[in-house]
């Protein structure tokens, strides 16, 4: 599947021993069939999951994802042309590592090089530096999707002379062996046109023909990087007291980014830089575990690592269940508690008081999300969750992780879908930083084909990973597998995941795969269209992103009426486009068409042309007319949007015949007469006239609409 051109055409469909097989759906006993009741539940669950991120109902700040991603915050696209500021940031203080020279020679000679190495050593910055060095500085490189298979890369049309980057290409271990003919195709596509740099993790070393183009990347020399970063400082700061101590600490760092961050603190003196190494929270967490806490304390912090922010009473019930599973796994006998007695502890144990004691890792704070009078259980600081998970993985084995895995499966399956699945997904996303493959094979593949709540948990996990970014490329590859060849249940989960932050990070992939899902199955279509509508709404104020979506939809509608189009596509295309254009913003409930006219008015013509096609289609006409009134009604008091509304109306009129135009007039009159409140009706009618006549009228009434020459 190749990265789409600006017109955006959709393509055709294309672990551990305990891991479930990816492929056919499980037996009906494992998960329900997609009957009408379940279909409605799944659609509601998908909407709930994605609305949480864009409405900011669950705060991600505690997950240390770089801040709170509440309303108005979204991850930027990881594909497409780089911005100049991104290039400048990547190359600021750049120092060439030892493998740079060989990589440069390969790129010059073969126009393709693969940089292989662990995360955080500067492979992406190295790719940018190589392309700027070899291809020149007149343009900007382009990021391609990491989910592109090598055969798909070979089918690309490389038109950007400044080069291309595939960052963190995530490939299955069985597909990393590239055949000679594929490599020959790719090198032929690059010849005399452009350059390509691919970065891969250490565990996905290329084999076969591609191995000859692989370079083992490494971080630059820390002393050289330290000197480069501090070259602009005064001699007193560079050579004064404390500088040697900072340099010594820097030598222990593995990531160039960490070195740069510490060196930037040197502007305020070595003492400020040294303070960065005094990670009090890391030491605090390690010290807590060094005291050999009892199992009840360990189980409580383990549970909190996955459901942080849960109301206290709910958290206690969850910990009680984990405690019971731990007892069962260890074979310990325990008397059942008396009726009405909390089952999570002995009668004399003051659990809540213990939780608040100084020196602990857990606290309880008032939480707007938890509701009045219902405090939420959290870690003492935002950065404790990954530290706790790291210690749990390092210190504990089967005795903890076996009951914990079973507990996580139970939490994922808890119905109905609620904040619990969203919080669980956040914890799983943090766990994936340590071992993404374990999370994928032990949890995600199973949940994606399970009950509605489990699918929501899987989609939430992938969405949080997309928001985090550290394993977003791997999450995208998993989603692609589910969307294209892993059965209907996993396809539904993929559609849900692509309607959130993961889809915003990889918009081209999300657009293609969601459309493919919408065309493939009538049951999946509403969920896929919901996801497309949400993504369209969230990016509606971005003219370039909006134009890309509108162009894509235009070409799908055009292809649906051409000779050779399947009957399935003919029947599905127009209703799907209408559903996407009639979508509402999950943050404000405004119609997406109104958002486009207000925030990206240059796209009014294209939006109007699409709407005209829908109005010209007899099966869609009534719904398209209703959606048109709703969109215009949202702009009835927005005089600044009137120029865009007029262009929108002119485009609609230009796409309709005289008879279709008169039918639209009559239909709009019918819709306006149904509005009971006179003030609202007159305000809407003013906007309707602005759209259809090109000017605003004073105090019109509904009976003026029909019979006039519009």
């Amino acid at each position: 599947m190749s990265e789409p051109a600006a017109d955006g055409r959709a393509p055709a469909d294309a672990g551990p021993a305990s891991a479930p097989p990816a492929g056919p759906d499980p037996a009906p006993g494992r998960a329900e069939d997609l009957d009408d009741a379940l279909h409605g539940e799944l659609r509601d669950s998908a909407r709930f999951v994605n609305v949480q991120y864009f409405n900011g109902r669950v705060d991600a700040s505690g997950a240390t994802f770089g801040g709170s991603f509440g309303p108005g915050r979204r991850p930027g696209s990881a594909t497409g042309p780089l911005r100049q500021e991104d290039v400048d940031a990547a190359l600021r203080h750049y120092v060439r590592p030892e493998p740079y020279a060989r990589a440069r020679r390969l790129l010059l000679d073969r126009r393709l090089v693969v940089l292989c190495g662990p995360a955080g050593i500067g492979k992406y910055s190295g790719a940018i530096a190589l392309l700027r060095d070899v291809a020149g500085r007149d343009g900007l490189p382009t990021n391609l999707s990491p989910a592109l298979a090598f055969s798909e890369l070979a089918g690309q049309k490389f038109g950007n002379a400044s080069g291309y980057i595939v960052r963190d290409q995530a490939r299955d271990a069985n597909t990393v062996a590239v055949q000679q003919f594929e490599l020959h195709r790719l090198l032929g596509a690059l010849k005399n046109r452009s350059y390509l740099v691919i970065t891969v993790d250490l565990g996905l070393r290329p084999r076969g023909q591609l191995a000859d183009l692989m370079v083992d990347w490494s971080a630059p020399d820390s002393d050289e990087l330290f000197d480069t970063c501090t070259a602009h400082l005064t001699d007193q700061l560079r050579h004064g007291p404390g500088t040697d101590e900072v340099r010594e600490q820097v030598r222990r760092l593995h990531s160039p980014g960490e070195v740069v961050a510490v060196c930037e603190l040197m502007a305020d003196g070595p003492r400020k830089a040294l303070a960065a190494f005094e990670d009090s929270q890391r030491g605090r967490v390690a010290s807590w575990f060094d005291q050999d806490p009892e199992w009840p304390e360990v189980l409580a912090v383990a549970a909190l690592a996955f459901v942080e922010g849960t109301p206290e009473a709910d958290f206690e019930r969850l910990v009680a269940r984990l405690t019971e599973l731990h007892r069962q796994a260890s074979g310990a006998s325990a008397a059942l508690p008396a009726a009405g007695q909390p089952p999570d502890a002995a009668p004399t144990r003051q659990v809540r008081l213990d939780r608040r004691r100084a020196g602990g890792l857990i606290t309880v704070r008032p939480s707007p999300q938890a509701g009045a009078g219902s405090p939420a259980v959290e870690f003492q600081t935002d950065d404790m969750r990954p530290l706790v998970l790291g210690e749990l993985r390092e210190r504990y084995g089967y005795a903890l992780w076996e009951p914990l895995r079973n507990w996580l499966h139970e939490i994922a399956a808890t119905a109905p879908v609620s904040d619990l699945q969203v919080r669980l997904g956040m914890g799983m996303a943090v766990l994936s930083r340590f071992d993404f493959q374990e999370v994928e094979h032990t949890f995600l593949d199973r949940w994606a084909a399970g009950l509605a709540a489990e699918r929501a948990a899987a989609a939430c996990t992938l969405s949080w990973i997309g928001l985090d970014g550290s394993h977003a490329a791997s999450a995208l590859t998993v989603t692609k597998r589910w969307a294209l060849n892993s059965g209907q249940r996993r396809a539904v989960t993929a559609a849900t995941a692509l309607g959130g932050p993961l889809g915003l990070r990889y918009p081209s992939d999300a657009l293609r795969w969601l459309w493919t899902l919408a065309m493939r199955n009538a049951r999946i279509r509403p969920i896929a269209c919901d996801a497309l509508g949400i993504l369209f709404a969230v990016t509606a104020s971005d003219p370039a992103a909006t134009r890309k979506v509108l162009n894509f939809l235009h070409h799908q509608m055009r292809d649906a009426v051409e000779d050779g189009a399947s009957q399935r596509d003919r029947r599905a295309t127009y209703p799907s486009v209408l559903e996407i254009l009639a979508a509402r913003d999950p943050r404000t409930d405004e119609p997406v068409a109104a958002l486009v006219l207000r925030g990206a008015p240059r796209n009014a013509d294209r939006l109007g042309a699409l709407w005209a096609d829908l109005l010209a289609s007899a099966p869609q006409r009534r719904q398209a007319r209703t959606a048109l009134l709703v969109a215009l009604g949202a702009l009835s008091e927005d005089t600044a949007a009137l120029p865009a509304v007029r262009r929108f109306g002119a485009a609609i009129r230009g796409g309709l015949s005289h008879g279709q135009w008169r039918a639209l007039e009559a239909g709009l009159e019918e819709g306006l007469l149904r509005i009971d409140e006179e003030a609202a009706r007159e305000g809407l009618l003013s906007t309707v006239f602005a759209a259809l006549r090109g000017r605003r009228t004073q105090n019109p009434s509904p009976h003026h609409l029909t019979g006039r020459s519009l």
Side-chain angles (χ1 to χ4, degrees):
M1 184 183 304
S2 61
E3 191 77 2
D7 61 2
R9 293 176 179 268
D13 278 352
S18 61
D25 289 330
R30 173 71 186 94
E32 319 95 315
D33 293 326
L34 279 177
D35 57 20
D36 290 339
L38 175 62
H39 177 260
E41 181 183 358
L42 287 171
R43 191 176 187 185
D44 290 344
S45 298
R47 286 174 173 166
F48 175 87
V49 166
N50 289 319
V51 165
Q52 303 313 300
Y53 303 103
F54 301 121
N55 275 340
R57 182 173 176 183
V58 177
D59 183 15
S61 58
T64 62
F65 288 167
S68 175
F69 287 84
R73 299 293 301 276
R74 59 185 179 92
S77 173
T79 56
L82 276 73
R83 300 176 302 173
Q84 184 62 53
E85 53 265 37
D86 295 331
V87 173
D88 294 341
L91 300 184
R92 183 162 48 96
H93 309 309
Y94 187 74
V95 171
R96 296 178 177 181
E98 187 274 331
Y100 186 94
R102 179 170 181 266
R104 184 178 185 275
R105 287 195 301 271
L106 281 172
L107 192 59
L108 280 170
D109 294 343
R110 307 293 298 277
R111 293 185 172 264
L112 170 64
V113 68
V114 181
L115 309 184
C116 182
I121 62 171
K123 298 190 299 293
Y124 185 57
S125 295
I128 296 174
L130 284 166
L131 289 175
R132 299 290 274 179
D133 186 8
V134 170
R137 299 176 176 269
D138 294 336
L140 296 170
T142 296
N143 280 325
L144 297 177
S145 168
L148 289 171
F150 200 83
S151 58
E152 295 168 330
L153 277 174
Q156 285 283 318
K157 294 182 179 179
F158 295 97
N160 182 3
S162 297
Y164 294 82
I165 302 171
V166 178
R167 183 181 186 181
D168 298 334
Q169 187 181 42
R171 300 262 44 89
D172 190 310
N174 294 324
T175 64
V176 296
V178 176
Q179 300 300 317
Q180 184 174 1
F181 78 94
E182 292 176 330
L183 180 59
H184 180 75
R185 284 180 61 212
L186 179 55
L187 294 177
L190 289 167
K191 187 176 181 181
N192 299 325
R193 293 183 181 90
S194 192
Y195 301 89
L196 174 62
V197 181
I198 301 173
T199 71
V200 296
D201 289 338
L202 192 61
L204 296 174
R205 294 173 63 87
R207 299 196 303 268
Q209 299 295 321
L210 198 58
D212 294 336
L213 297 171
M214 188 268 293
V215 173
D216 283 315
W217 204 249
S218 62
D221 179 77
S222 58
D223 282 327
E224 186 179 356
L225 183 56
F226 181 86
D227 291 336
T228 300
C229 292
T230 58
H232 66 287
L233 300 178
T234 64
D235 288 343
Q236 182 177 1
L237 288 174
R238 293 179 62 198
H239 305 293
T243 300
D244 288 342
E245 289 86 344
V246 176
R247 185 185 292 273
E248 185 61 33
Q249 293 287 353
V250 161
R251 289 174 181 148
R252 302 176 184 177
L253 298 177
H254 301 289
S255 168
E258 293 177 346
V259 175
V260 171
V262 170
C263 290
E264 288 179 343
L265 297 175
M266 283 285 291
D268 296 323
R271 182 174 298 179
K272 182 70 174 292
L274 285 171
F277 293 97
E278 298 173 3
D279 191 339
S280 59
Q281 298 311 319
R282 184 180 299 276
R284 179 178 177 180
V285 171
S287 175
W288 188 86
F289 280 99
D290 286 342
Q291 296 172 18
D292 292 326
E294 297 181 358
W295 275 116
E297 287 79 15
V298 174
L299 295 175
V301 297
L304 189 61
F306 293 97
V307 294
E308 185 177 9
T310 301
E312 187 170 31
D314 295 338
F315 177 74
E316 290 171 348
R317 284 192 289 270
L318 294 172
V319 173
R321 178 56 183 160
L322 177 57
T323 301
E324 180 61 27
L325 290 172
H326 179 260
R327 288 171 179 165
Q328 293 173 4
S330 63
S333 60
L336 293 175
Q341 177 182 311
D344 60 343
T348 58
R349 187 160 180 264
Q350 302 178 38
V351 178
R352 293 189 175 181
L353 181 60
D354 289 345
R355 194 177 293 143
R356 293 166 171 79
R357 280 202 177 113
L361 305 181
I362 300 176
T363 189
V364 178
R365 296 189 180 96
S367 172
Q369 287 79 22
S374 182
V377 184
E378 301 174 355
F379 284 111
Q380 291 279 355
T381 62
D382 289 346
D383 54 353
M384 274 190 176
R385 189 206 302 250
L387 298 174
V388 166
L389 278 171
E391 295 290 344
L392 290 172
R393 285 180 54 83
E394 182 70 22
R395 295 171 184 259
Y396 298 91
Y398 182 90
L400 170 66
W401 284 98
E402 179 62 16
L404 187 57
R405 289 186 190 99
N406 292 331
W407 179 79
L408 291 170
H409 288 313
E410 288 188 7
I411 297 301
T414 302
V417 176
S418 67
D419 287 354
L420 184 60
Q421 277 78 17
V422 181
R423 297 187 189 283
L424 173 62
M426 191 189 301
M428 298 302 297
V430 177
L431 181 63
S432 74
R433 299 177 187 174
F434 298 96
D435 191 339
F436 180 86
Q437 288 190 340
E438 179 185 356
V439 170
E440 175 189 357
H441 296 306
T442 304
F443 301 102
L444 295 182
D445 274 335
R446 170 175 169 171
W447 295 350
L451 307 172
E454 291 175 293
R455 297 183 216 183
C460 287
T461 300
L462 292 177
S463 288
W464 285 121
I465 293 174
L467 201 61
D468 179 15
S470 58
H471 281 289
S474 298
L476 182 68
T477 301
V478 170
T479 307
K480 176 184 178 181
R481 172 167 59 82
W482 292 350
L484 301 184
N485 56 15
S486 294
Q488 184 168 254
R489 293 186 177 89
R490 291 190 178 99
V492 170
T493 308
T496 305
L498 290 171
L502 186 65
L504 290 175
R505 188 173 289 278
Y506 300 104
S508 296
D509 298 283
L511 191 60
R512 294 196 311 272
W513 300 343
L514 285 171
W515 186 262
T516 298
L517 290 172
M519 295 298 101
R520 191 174 83 187
N521 188 294
R523 293 288 192 179
I524 302 176
R525 183 177 306 132
I527 297 174
C529 288
D530 281 349
L532 283 166
I534 289 173
L535 294 178
F536 189 25
V538 173
T539 60
S541 61
D542 182 339
T546 300
R547 172 66 68 167
K548 185 172 186 177
V549 174
L550 295 175
N551 284 344
F552 181 90
L553 297 178
H554 167 76
H555 284 283
Q556 306 320 310
M557 294 176 73
R558 186 185 67 184
D559 290 349
V561 298
E562 288 182 349
D563 294 339
S566 68
Q567 287 297 320
R568 182 184 66 178
D569 286 355
R570 290 177 190 271
R571 290 192 300 267
T573 296
Y574 275 58
S576 298
V577 172
L578 176 57
E579 190 163 351
I580 295 165
L581 295 185
R584 290 179 176 271
D585 190 323
R587 302 160 297 184
T588 64
D589 202 40
E590 284 190 275
V592 65
L595 295 175
V596 171
L597 294 174
R598 183 185 295 119
R602 288 181 291 173
N603 292 309
D605 297 342
R606 176 63 82 186
L607 180 64
L610 282 174
W611 222 288
D613 287 341
L614 295 171
L615 291 165
S617 170
Q620 317 306 322
R621 187 169 297 142
R622 179 175 292 274
Q623 287 181 287
R625 206 164 50 216
T626 300
L628 176 62
L629 276 174
V630 171
L632 294 177
L635 298 170
S636 59
E637 297 181 2
D638 190 347
T639 57
L642 284 178
V645 169
R646 294 190 182 101
R647 290 199 302 275
F648 174 62
I652 292 177
R653 184 168 188 173
L656 297 178
S657 67
H658 178 74
Q660 292 166 343
W661 181 255
R662 302 304 293 181
L664 176 59
E665 291 178 294
L668 290 176
E669 178 181 9
E670 178 186 344
L672 288 167
L673 288 171
R674 292 176 182 170
I675 300 176
D676 294 331
E677 187 179 343
E678 183 176 357
R681 181 172 63 245
E682 292 187 355
L684 175 54
L685 189 53
S686 296
T687 309
V688 170
F689 266 81
L692 302 185
R693 298 185 64 189
R695 64 182 179 85
R696 190 182 182 93
T697 62
Q698 296 296 324
N699 298 321
S701 58
H703 71 272
H704 291 154
L705 186 59
T706 302
R708 289 193 178 191
S709 175
L710 300 181

